[in-house]
Amino acid sequence: MLNQRSSLRGRWCIALIVLVLVCAGTVRSETRQVEASIVQRTVDGVYVDVGRAAGLTSGTRGRILRGEAMIGTVQVSTVSGSSALLQVLTVWQGEVPQVGDKVVFDVEEAAVTEKPASSSSTLKNPDAATEPFVPLLAPMRERSVNVNDPSNIFHGRIWMRQSLQMEQEQLADYSLSRVGTAGSLERINGTPWAVDWNANLSYRSGDGLSNSRYYQEPRLDLRQLSLFRRFDGGSFVRAGRFLPLELPSVGYLDGAQAEVVLNKNVRVGGMAGLKPDRYDLEFTTDEPTAVAYGTFQAGEMQRLYYSGTLGVLGSAYQGSFDRLAVLLDQTATLGPHLNLYSSSEVDIDAGGAEERDGASLTRLNLHANAPVNKVLSFRTGVDHYQQPDTAAERAVYAAPTNSLPLDDGYWRYSIGSAQRVPGNLTFDEEVSFLEGENYSMTPLWRLGITRRGFFDLKNSSLSMTVYNMESSYSKGYGVRLYGYFPVMQSRLSFQPSVGFRTYDENGGVDSLDLSDASLLVDWLISRKWSANVQVSESFGTSVQALYIDSGLTYRW
Amino acid sequence: MDSNIPRTLKRMVPFLPSLLLAGLVVLMASCHFIVPPQGWSKKWGPMVPHKTFPGDCSLCHVPESWSVLKKDFSYDHEKETGYPLEGAHADAACLRCHNDRGPVEAYVARGCSGCHVDPHAGSLGLSCDQCHSQMNWRPQGLVAEHAGTRFPLIGIHAVTACESCHPRAPVNFYMGAPTQCYSCHQKDYNSAPNHTGFSTECQQCHSQAGWDQANFNHSFFPLSGEHSGVACVACHTTGTFEPIPSDCQSCHNDKYLNAPNHVANGWTDCQQCHTINGWDQANFNHSFFPLNGGHTGLDCTQCHVPGNYESLTPDCNSCHQPDYQAAPSHVASGFPTDCLQCHTVNNWDQVNFSHTAAFPLTAGHSGLSCSQCHTSGSLGSVPSDCNSCHNDKYQTAPNHVSSGFSVECQRCHSTAGWENAIVDHSFFPLTAGHSGLDCTQCHTSGNVGTIPSDCYSCHQSNYQSAPNHAASHFSLDCLQCHTMSSWTGATIDHSFFPLTAGHNGLDCVQCHTSGTVGTIPSDCYSCHQGNYQSAPSHVASNFSHDCLQCHKMTGWDGAIIDHSFFPLTAGHSGLDCVQCHTSGNVGTIPSDCYSCHQSNYQSAPNHLSAGFSHDCLQCHTTSGWPGATIDHSFFPLTAGHSGLDCVQCHKSGTVGTIPSDCYSCHQSNYQSAPNHVSSGFSHDCLGCHTTTTWLGATFNHQFPLTGNHNVSCTTCHLGGSTSTFTCLNSCHSKSNTDSHHSGVSNYTYDSAACYRCHPNGRE
C-alpha cells in the first residue's frame, strides 16, 4: 500500500515537472525584442519613436544602447500609439541618454499580437497610433492633424488709463485720460489673412500740458491697422499702417510690405508707403518712403549665430527728395559667453541737408554682453545719436520760430558688470561717458544692488541704485530704492519706490533729500481683467507734486 | 494743493463722456458674444499648426477638452530651450510667442523687439531692459534713468510731462530733444517781461528749480537797497547785458552834475556820502567830527564857508570864537579856549563845567566864592594841594611845624573842616592797649613824627623789669608772647615742643635749666640723660638714645619694648629680659633656639650622642622644651614599630639616618629564621612579613600546598633552598610514576616535566 502511494506521488511529480518545462518553453518562445530610438529629451524623461503599436505598455523596461554598449535602463511611463515617454531608471556613471541612442525592449509576443487600443485614452484622434512622433520644439516636419481649420481667431486687449498730477508750486499739474485697444484677428474666415490693430484715444488738460498741440482736444494715435498674410515657407505680405518688426528704424508707415524667404539663410523684402505725421501719426502725403532690405541669418543660437538686416531707405518731403539712409540691425552670438548686437543708421545727403554734407552716422547702438558664468557678466556699449539733417526732421522742431540749430547729439560710451553672489544678491555697476556739446567725456556712474526673494515671495526683489548726475547746469547724486513684492501667486504685486537726491546748481554738493516716493500696485484680477494704481509724491525745490495713475485692462 | 483738486477735476469734466464710452466698450468686450467663456473657441482650431508639437497630445491637453491644458502641465523652458521665462513671461500663455507669425527662433534673435513691436522705432536701441522690465512692461524709475542722459531731470523737470520736452513722446519718440533751456522755454522767454535783448542762456538767471523764480547771480554787483527792483535796462541802457562799469558815477553822473558843489569840490567818490539806499539821503561820513548834539541838523554852510569844506579845524574855537569873546569873564578870566571844559556839544548856553574833575567842591569847599581860592581873579588853575591855600593854618596850628607834621593836610584833616583833624594812625593801629592813649605816651618827645613801631622801643622797661626776660635772653619780639591787649598774661607758643602728658605743667626751668628759655635740644636724651644712665641695663645694654623707642611721653616708666623681631610668645612669654639677655645687655642676641637652650640640648638624653639637630624646632616648640615630638613620617612608626624606644632601632645611640629597609634592622631575625639563609630568601622582608610582627609571615605559594602536598617546605625544596624543588622523592617514585605514565608520550621522569604537566599537582 505504501509503495503504491509512493509510486503515484512520483508520477504526479514527473507530470508537474514536464508541465512546467513545457510551459516555460512556451513563454520564452513568445518574447521578442523591440528597438526604438530616443528622439527627444525632456525634464520628465526621454521620448522614443515607438509606442503601443509596437507592443510597449506602461511599465515595460528596456536597455539604452549607444552603439553596442549598454549605458542605462529605462521604463515606459506614458505610452501613446507611436511614441512613449520613458523614465530613466539607471545610467552608467557619466553617461546621459542622448537623442539617437537606441533603446531595446523585451516585449512579450502576446502583447505584440494584441491589438492596440482604439486610441489613446488621452487622445480622440483615431490616427494617433500611426502618427510619426514629433517632439516639442523639434524641427518642423510635415504632418497633418485632423482638427478643424482655424478661423477668426480674435484676441486683444482694451484698456483705459487716467493720469492726474497736482502740482501747485509751478502750475505743472495736468490730466491725461487715455483709452486704447490692441489685438488681432487671425485666420479670417479660415484664410491665412490677419488684421492687427493698436490705437489709443487720449485727452490732455492742465497747465502742465498747455503747450501740447492737442491741449483739451481728443487725440487719436493710430499705431497699427494692418492686414497680414503669411505664406508657406515664411514669406509674408503686410499692408496698412504698421511699424515693421523686421526693421523697426523705418518707423511707422502707411503702405505695404512684402518679404520673401529665399532659403533658410536669406530673406529679402521691401516696403513702401507714406510716413505719417511725425507728431501725431496723422495721415499725410508729405513724406513718401520706400525701403528695400535683406536679412541674412545663419548659425545656431547660443553657439555661433548671426542675424543681420540691411536696409536702404529713401524718402521725399513735400515734393523734394529728402532722405537717403542706410539702416543696419545686427545680432551675433559668439558662443555662450559673448553676445553682440547693433542698430545703426547712416544718413546720406540726398538733397534735404542744410548743414551736413555727405554721410553722417546719425544713430548707433552697439552693445556687447559677456556672461562669463552664472555669477559674473560684463557689458559694454557705444551709443550715438545725431539729429538727421533732413527737411522732415527739421520740421519737427521748427515751430514756432524755426530758429533752433540741429542737435549735434552725443556719444555715449559705457562699460558695466553684474555679479550674482550667494544670498540672492546681484551687484551691478556701470560707468558711462558722455561726449558732445558741453559734454567732454562727462562721467556718469551708477551702482546697483538687488536682493531677490523676500518673505518667501517668489520673484520678489529689493533694489538700490546710486548714481550721479552731471550736466552743464547742475551736478548731484541720487539714490533710488525699488521693491517688487508679488503675492497671490504673482497676481497682485506691490512696487514701492523712493528716491533721494542732492542738487546744487553751483556745482557743490547739497544734502541728500527725499525727492520722490511712489507705490505701484498691479492686480491681475482674472485671466481677463487687470488693474493698476500708482501714487507718487515728488518733492524738490519749489516743486511738490502728487501724481496718481490708474489703469484698467481687459484681455481676451 | 487742495484748492487745485476741484479745478483739476473740473478740467476732466469734458472727458467724462469718453470715460463712460470706454467703460461701455470694455463691458461689451467682456460679453460672451465676442469672447468665448474659456478663453478659447473650439471653432478657432488650434492657435498654431501643431506640426512642431509632440504627437502625444496628452502631454498638454486634458482628455475632456482641447481647450483646457492639464493642470500639472509644466515645461522647464530654461532647461529645455536655454531661455528662462522670467517675470510676466513666466505666466504668459505659450501661444503668445509660439504662434504662426513665424519661428520663435527668429523672434528670440531680435530680442524683445522680436515679439514686441518697438514703438520707439529703434531710436532707443535694443536694450529695452534699460527702462522696461519683464516684471512689468510699464517703465519705472525714469527720473533716475534720465540721469544717464545729457539732461538730468531736476526740479520742475522731474514732474513735467514727457511731451513737454519731447514733442513726439505721444508717439514714443524721445530722441533729439535739445538740452538748451531756450529750446523748450522759447515761449516763456518771449512772454516774459523785459527779456528783449536778454541772453537766451536762460540758466544765467533761471534755475531748473523753477522758471519763475529767476535768480540771476548778480553778486558781482549786489542789487540791494535802491538797486533792488530796478529794471535791468535802467542800468543796462544799451539793451545788452554786457558788463558795465560798477562805479556809481557811471550811472549817476547826471545827479552828480546837478548836485550842488559836487563838481566844484571835485567830489567823485559818491560812496563817501551816498549809499545804495538812496541818492538823496547822502550820508557823508563826518565821523572825524561827529555831528551830534547842537551840531545835528546844521546846514553845512553854518560851519563851512560855502564851497569850501576843507579849511575848518575840529576845535570849538574855530567856530565859537565869537561866543567866547562875547561870554562874560572868558577873556578877562583867561578862560581856556578848550570850550569843552565847560560847554558841551548839546548846547553852548548850558555851561556844565565840572570842577569835580579838577578839584571837587564838596564839604567845606562847597559854596565858596571862586575868588576865595582863585585869589588872583583868574579862574586859571590853582594848585590843588591843601597847603597851598591852608598854609596859614598849618603854620598856626600847634606843634605842626615843630612836630614836622606833613603838609599833606588831608592825612589828618578833611574837607569837612579844618578842625576835628583825624590822624590816620592805621600804619600803627591804636587798638587794644594802645587805644585811648595820649599821643605823648608814645610820642614822648612831643613830636608826632615817626617813632619806631616795634614793641620793645616803648616797652623796654617792661621787658627789663619782667622776670627772667633779660636773663633768659627772651626775644625782643614781644609779640611772640605778649599781645597788644596787655603786657601781662603773656602766652608762650610752645607748639614746637608740645608740653603734653608728662611735660605738661612743668616749670620752665625744669627743662630750661640754665634759666634761659632759649632753644634747648628737643630730643629726650638731652633732658633724660640721667634717667637713662640710672635705668638698669641701659648703659650696659647700649640701649638706643632714642628713648621713644621704648618710653612714652606720658612717663619714663612703663617702657614698652617692641620685641616683634622675636615674638615673646608661649614659653618665652613673661620671661625676664635677663633670662635670655644673660649678659645684662639687651643688645641683639642670636635668635636660634640652641643659643639659649644649649644646656637643655646637652642635658637632654641622647641629643648630643645621637647627633640631634641644633634646629630645636624640628622636635620642640616654643611652648616648652619638654614634650618634643619627632616627625618620623619618613618611616612611619606603625604596627610593630609603634612604641619602640628610639635606641631599639637607633642602636648606636644616634638618631641620625639609618637605613629604612627591613633587613638592616631585622638581619638577626632573618638569619635566625629557619631556612631563610639556606633557602636564599629575599632580603625584601615585606615580601612575606608585615610591619605588624616578624612572625606570621605569609607566602603566596603558586603550587597549591593542598592534600598530599601540604608538607614542609624542605620536603620539596631540598637543601634549604626554595629556588629549586623536586618531585622525585619518596612521594613520587620512579617506578610508581613510570607505571602511571605508561603510554604517555614524551613522558620523562623529571621534576620540571612533572610541573609542566601537573602545575596544580593534580592528575
Side-chain angles (χ1 to χ4, degrees):
Chain A
M1 187 65 182
L2 185 62
N3 290 336
Q4 283 183 343
R5 286 180 183 174
S6 299
S7 176
L8 186 59
R9 190 182 303 158
R11 285 182 207 147
W12 272 108
C13 289
I14 292 171
L16 284 174
I17 291 171
V18 171
L19 180 61
V20 169
L21 289 175
V22 169
C23 292
T26 303
V27 172
R28 190 176 293 122
S29 65
E30 290 181 350
T31 300
R32 71 177 181 87
Q33 288 188 336
V34 174
E35 286 190 2
S37 294
I38 295 177
V39 293
Q40 181 70 21
R41 286 196 306 117
T42 73
V43 67
D44 298 319
V46 296
Y47 275 92
V48 291
D49 54 358
V50 298
R52 186 178 294 106
L56 300 189
T57 59
S58 179
T60 304
R61 293 198 174 196
R63 306 177 299 279
I64 309 173
L65 301 176
R66 182 171 296 164
E68 298 299 325
M70 176 178 170
I71 63 169
T73 60
V74 292
Q75 183 180 36
V76 176
S77 58
T78 304
V79 61
S80 64
S82 58
S83 65
L85 175 62
L86 311 181
Q87 179 187 3
V88 179
L89 298 177
T90 58
V91 289
W92 298 172
Q93 188 174 9
E95 299 292 350
V96 176
Q98 300 288 349
V99 173
D101 286 344
K102 187 185 297 181
V103 180
V104 176
F105 301 93
D106 291 325
V107 180
E108 293 181 7
E109 190 61 36
V112 175
T113 57
E114 179 187 348
K115 282 190 175 181
S118 58
S119 73
S120 167
S121 61
T122 60
L123 297 175
K124 295 181 179 176
N125 180 358
D127 299 329
T130 59
E131 289 180 49
F133 180 85
V134 181
L136 187 65
L137 299 182
M140 187 182 299
R141 296 179 188 172
E142 290 296 334
R143 67 192 286 263
S144 62
V145 179
N146 187 19
V147 294
N148 296 331
D149 288 336
S151 65
N152 297 329
I153 303 170
F154 183 45
H155 66 97
R157 61 194 169 105
I158 185 168
W159 71 90
M160 53 187 296
R161 179 182 174 189
Q162 174 63 49
S163 303
L164 186 64
Q165 176 171 287
M166 289 166 283
E167 200 283 331
Q168 64 176 6
E169 298 286 342
Q170 301 189 43
L171 298 179
D173 55 339
Y174 64 82
S175 165
L176 175 61
S177 308
R178 178 172 288 168
V179 59
T181 179
S184 65
L185 179 63
E186 313 242 356
R187 303 294 178 97
I188 301 173
N189 285 332
T191 68
W193 287 94
V195 61
D196 301 273
W197 77 90
N198 185 342
N200 69 73
L201 180 69
S202 56
Y203 181 83
R204 293 162 171 78
S205 185
D207 296 328
L209 288 173
S210 59
N211 289 330
S212 171
R213 182 183 288 188
Y214 288 84
Y215 180 62
Q216 293 187 341
E217 290 181 17
R219 167 181 169 132
L220 175 65
D221 285 312
L222 180 61
R223 306 289 181 85
Q224 188 171 20
L225 181 59
S226 62
L227 278 171
F228 176 86
R229 186 191 192 285
R230 180 173 289 279
F231 298 93
D232 290 341
S235 301
F236 69 86
V237 294
R238 178 185 283 138
R241 171 168 292 185
F242 58 89
L243 197 158
L245 280 173
E246 296 72 24
L247 202 54
S249 49
V250 171
Y252 292 101
L253 204 61
D254 293 328
Q257 178 187 6
E259 182 177 296
V260 177
V261 177
L262 298 182
N263 54 49
K264 68 174 185 179
N265 298 121
V266 179
R267 304 191 302 273
V268 295
M271 59 191 100
L274 302 170
K275 283 189 73 67
D277 185 276
R278 296 189 178 218
Y279 265 120
D280 49 23
L281 301 181
E282 284 192 353
F283 179 81
T284 176
T285 58
D286 283 348
E287 197 174 354
T289 302
V291 182
Y293 69 93
T295 299
F296 177 78
Q297 177 180 328
E300 185 177 349
M301 289 293 293
Q302 294 188 319
R303 292 190 177 178
L304 195 60
Y305 176 83
Y306 173 81
S307 175
T309 300
L310 176 67
V312 178
L313 180 151
S315 67
Y317 185 71
Q318 293 183 343
S320 301
F321 196 57
D322 184 46
R323 181 186 179 197
L324 179 61
V326 177
L327 313 172
L328 177 60
D329 288 356
Q330 300 177 95
T331 300
T333 301
L334 305 177
H337 301 304
L338 182 59
N339 302 312
L340 302 167
Y341 63 85
S342 75
S343 179
S344 59
E345 177 178 336
V346 174
D347 280 79
I348 303 167
D349 179 15
E354 290 185 348
E355 297 184 12
R356 303 189 192 116
D357 298 328
S360 300
L361 179 64
T362 52
R363 185 175 58 81
L364 172 66
N365 303 109
L366 173 59
H367 287 254
N369 186 34
V372 178
N373 49 42
K374 289 185 177 179
V375 174
L376 179 63
S377 68
F378 294 101
R379 63 181 183 275
T380 185
V382 178
D383 297 285
H384 168 65
Y385 179 79
Q386 183 183 62
Q387 190 178 358
D389 186 10
T390 64
E393 187 68 18
R394 285 195 301 274
V396 172
Y397 297 100
T401 62
N402 199 23
S403 60
L404 294 178
L406 283 176
D407 182 9
D408 283 334
Y410 63 90
W411 284 86
R412 181 177 181 271
Y413 311 93
S414 66
I415 185 169
S417 173
Q419 306 90 41
R420 304 186 71 161
V421 300
N424 290 330
L425 288 174
T426 301
F427 294 93
D428 192 286
E429 312 86 27
E430 181 177 294
V431 60
S432 59
F433 300 91
L434 272 177
E435 189 172 25
E437 184 180 3
N438 298 326
Y439 298 87
S440 178
M441 297 301 283
T442 302
L444 298 171
W445 53 261
R446 62 178 53 221
L447 307 172
I449 180 172
T450 298
R451 186 182 187 278
R452 302 184 191 280
F454 283 91
F455 317 118
D456 295 330
L457 298 178
K458 184 183 179 183
N459 296 328
S460 63
S461 65
L462 183 63
S463 304
M464 182 177 74
T465 303
V466 184
Y467 58 93
N468 75 327
M469 298 181 289
E470 287 276 355
S471 75
S472 54
Y473 307 122
S474 61
K475 69 189 312 182
Y477 302 92
V479 178
R480 181 172 182 259
L481 296 169
Y482 167 73
Y484 176 73
F485 302 103
V487 298
M488 296 169 57
Q489 297 179 332
S490 298
R491 303 186 71 82
L492 179 64
S493 67
F494 298 89
Q495 299 170 58
S497 170
V498 61
F500 299 88
R501 282 188 156 194
T502 69
Y503 164 63
D504 189 348
E505 290 189 87
N506 297 321
V509 177
D510 201 354
S511 60
L512 190 66
D513 297 322
L514 178 66
S515 61
D516 61 274
S518 170
L519 176 64
L520 169 63
V521 180
D522 267 327
W523 183 21
L524 189 60
I525 303 170
S526 67
R527 291 178 59 188
K528 299 172 184 173
W529 289 94
S530 63
N532 63 73
V533 176
Q534 179 178 1
V535 179
S536 301
E537 181 82 24
S538 298
F539 312 91
T541 307
S542 303
V543 173
Q544 182 164 4
L546 173 65
Y547 175 81
I548 302 173
D549 183 87
S550 59
L552 182 66
T553 302
Y554 178 83
R555 292 182 179 83
W556 70 89
Chain B
M1 181 178 291
D2 293 339
S3 61
N4 280 345
I5 294 177
R7 188 162 57 94
T8 305
L9 293 176
K10 188 178 179 182
R11 287 199 302 267
M12 294 177 61
V13 169
F15 194 61
L16 288 178
S18 301
L19 291 175
L20 293 174
L21 176 61
L24 183 61
V25 172
V26 169
L27 288 175
M28 290 178 63
S30 65
C31 179
H32 289 236
F33 295 111
I34 301 176
V35 181
Q38 295 182 353
W40 184 259
S41 172
K42 208 170 183 179
K43 298 175 185 175
W44 295 353
M47 177 65 183
V48 297
H50 277 54
K51 295 174 182 176
T52 59
F53 278 26
D56 185 359
C57 307
S58 63
L59 285 172
C60 307
H61 297 274
V62 298
E64 294 78 13
S65 173
W66 285 109
S67 58
V68 180
L69 294 182
K70 289 169 61 178
K71 285 186 177 178
D72 59 348
F73 174 73
S74 64
Y75 187 75
D76 191 336
H77 203 276
E78 181 177 13
K79 184 174 182 180
E80 299 298 338
T81 69
Y83 293 95
L85 296 181
E86 298 176 344
H89 292 125
D91 294 327
C94 306
L95 303 183
R96 295 285 299 276
C97 300
H98 299 276
N99 53 42
D100 63 352
R101 292 308 174 94
V104 73
E105 291 86 347
Y107 297 161
V108 174
R110 285 198 293 263
C112 304
S113 62
C115 292
H116 300 275
V117 173
D118 181 6
H120 312 299
S123 59
L124 298 180
L126 301 178
S127 302
C128 304
D129 57 352
Q130 283 188 348
C131 302
H132 304 277
S133 76
Q134 296 191 63
M135 306 293 182
N136 189 318
W137 186 253
R138 202 164 158 201
Q140 292 288 305
L142 290 183
V143 173
E145 288 297 326
H146 218 279
T149 71
R150 295 176 292 171
F151 195 88
L153 298 180
I154 301 297
I156 190 67
H157 294 115
V159 296
T160 299
C162 302
E163 59 189 276
S164 296
C165 304
H166 302 278
R168 297 164 69 186
V171 295
N172 300 109
F173 191 90
Y174 297 93
M175 303 301 293
T179 58
Q180 298 87 354
C181 309
Y182 184 71
S183 303
C184 293
H185 291 283
Q186 190 172 0
K187 184 178 177 182
D188 300 300
Y189 177 90
N190 292 333
S191 62
N194 306 319
H195 275 52
T196 304
F198 276 20
S199 168
T200 56
E201 296 288 329
C202 307
Q203 69 273 17
Q204 286 187 8
C205 304
H206 299 274
S207 78
Q208 296 185 75
W211 181 263
D212 295 335
Q213 287 75 41
N215 187 23
F216 177 59
N217 183 5
H218 212 281
S219 60
F220 57 87
F221 189 93
L223 300 179
S224 55
E226 285 295 306
H227 292 128
S228 174
V230 172
C232 304
V233 293
C235 300
H236 300 274
T237 53
T238 62
T240 67
F241 295 89
E242 297 300 321
I244 57 177
S246 61
D247 65 291
C248 308
Q249 195 175 358
S250 297
C251 289
H252 296 284
N253 192 49
D254 56 338
K255 293 187 177 179
Y256 172 79
L257 295 175
N258 295 329
N261 309 316
H262 282 50
V263 176
N265 287 290
W267 296 338
T268 56
D269 188 1
C270 306
Q271 296 177 85
Q272 285 191 1
C273 304
H274 302 275
T275 69
I276 58 173
N277 294 319
W279 181 261
D280 296 334
Q281 287 76 38
N283 188 23
F284 176 61
N285 183 4
H286 215 281
S287 60
F288 59 89
F289 187 91
L291 299 179
N292 48 27
H295 296 121
T296 302
L298 293 182
D299 189 71
C300 302
T301 56
Q302 287 185 266
C303 298
H304 298 278
V305 175
N308 184 355
Y309 294 85
E310 304 291 340
S311 60
L312 287 181
T313 59
D315 64 292
C316 307
N317 198 40
S318 296
C319 292
H320 292 281
Q321 190 174 11
D323 300 298
Y324 179 85
Q325 299 281 355
S329 306
H330 279 50
V331 176
S333 298
F335 280 10
T337 55
D338 181 7
C339 307
L340 288 175
Q341 286 190 12
C342 303
H343 303 272
T344 69
V345 295
N346 294 321
N347 195 320
W348 179 261
D349 297 331
Q350 294 170 1
V351 178
N352 189 23
F353 174 65
S354 173
H355 210 284
T356 304
F359 191 92
L361 300 179
T362 57
H365 294 119
S366 174
L368 294 181
S369 168
C370 300
S371 59
Q372 284 185 270
C373 296
H374 298 276
T375 54
S376 66
S378 169
L379 297 181
S381 298
V382 294
S384 61
D385 65 293
C386 306
N387 192 46
S388 297
C389 291
H390 296 283
N391 185 260
D392 56 336
K393 293 187 177 179
Y394 177 84
Q395 296 289 344
T396 59
N399 305 320
H400 279 49
V401 176
S402 60
S403 296
F405 279 12
S406 170
V407 293
E408 294 180 20
C409 306
Q410 67 271 23
R411 291 178 57 176
C412 302
H413 301 273
S414 71
T415 57
W418 185 256
E419 307 301 334
N420 304 322
I422 297 173
V423 181
D424 179 9
H425 214 281
S426 59
F427 59 89
F428 187 94
L430 300 178
T431 58
H434 296 116
S435 175
L437 295 182
D438 188 67
C439 299
T440 57
Q441 285 188 268
C442 297
H443 300 276
T444 54
S445 64
N447 189 334
V448 294
T450 303
I451 57 175
S453 61
D454 65 290
C455 306
Y456 183 75
S457 297
C458 290
H459 293 281
Q460 185 175 5
S461 60
N462 299 96
Y463 178 86
Q464 291 174 342
S465 62
N468 304 321
H469 277 49
S472 296
H473 300 292
F474 280 10
S475 170
L476 298 184
D477 182 6
C478 305
L479 289 174
Q480 285 188 6
C481 303
H482 301 273
T483 67
M484 298 285 255
S485 299
S486 174
W487 178 258
T488 57
T491 57
I492 301 172
D493 179 10
H494 213 281
S495 59
F496 58 89
F497 189 93
L499 300 178
T500 58
H503 295 115
N504 186 19
L506 295 181
D507 190 61
C508 300
V509 297
Q510 285 187 267
C511 298
H512 300 276
T513 53
S514 63
T516 172
V517 293
T519 304
I520 59 175
S522 62
D523 65 292
C524 307
Y525 184 76
S526 298
C527 289
H528 292 282
Q529 187 174 4
N531 300 96
Y532 178 86
Q533 292 175 342
S534 61
S537 306
H538 278 49
V539 175
S541 297
N542 196 24
F543 279 9
S544 170
H545 287 187
D546 183 5
C547 306
L548 289 174
Q549 287 187 5
C550 303
H551 300 274
K552 293 183 179 179
M553 299 286 259
T554 52
W556 180 258
D557 299 327
I560 298 172
I561 301 171
D562 180 8
H563 213 282
S564 58
F565 59 89
F566 189 93
L568 300 177
T569 58
H572 296 118
S573 174
L575 295 181
D576 190 62
C577 300
V578 296
Q579 284 187 266
C580 297
H581 301 276
T582 52
S583 64
N585 188 336
V586 294
T588 304
I589 59 175
S591 61
D592 65 293
C593 308
Y594 183 76
S595 298
C596 289
H597 293 281
Q598 186 175 2
S599 59
N600 299 98
Y601 177 87
Q602 291 174 344
S603 61
N606 304 321
H607 278 50
L608 185 59
S609 58
F612 282 9
S613 170
H614 288 186
D615 184 5
C616 305
L617 289 174
Q618 286 187 5
C619 303
H620 301 273
T621 68
T622 57
S623 299
W625 182 258
T629 57
I630 301 171
D631 180 9
H632 214 281
S633 58
F634 58 89
F635 189 94
L637 301 177
T638 58
H641 295 117
S642 175
L644 294 181
D645 190 62
C646 300
V647 296
Q648 284 186 265
C649 297
H650 300 276
K651 291 185 172 64
S652 64
T654 172
V655 293
T657 304
I658 58 175
S660 60
D661 64 294
C662 307
Y663 183 76
S664 298
C665 288
H666 294 281
Q667 187 174 2
S668 60
N669 299 97
Y670 177 87
Q671 291 173 342
S672 61
N675 306 321
H676 278 52
V677 176
S678 58
S679 298
F681 282 9
S682 169
H683 287 186
D684 181 10
C685 306
L686 290 175
C688 303
H689 302 272
T690 67
T691 56
T692 304
T693 176
W694 179 257
L695 302 177
T698 60
F699 177 65
N700 180 19
H701 204 283
Q702 292 182 351
F703 187 85
L705 301 177
T706 56
N708 294 330
H709 291 114
N710 188 11
V711 296
S712 66
C713 304
T714 55
T715 304
C716 300
H717 300 286
L718 302 179
S721 172
T722 58
S723 60
T724 59
F725 68 93
T726 183
C727 304
L728 311 179
N729 50 30
S730 58
C731 294
H732 302 285
S733 65
K734 185 173 187 306
S735 59
N736 192 28
T737 303
D738 288 346
S739 64
H740 275 83
H741 291 79
S742 172
V744 177
S745 62
N746 298 326
Y747 162 75
T748 58
Y749 184 64
D750 178 74
S751 296
C754 295
Y755 184 72
R756 273 199 305 273
C757 295
H758 307 279
N760 296 325
R762 299 179 183 276
E763 288 292 334

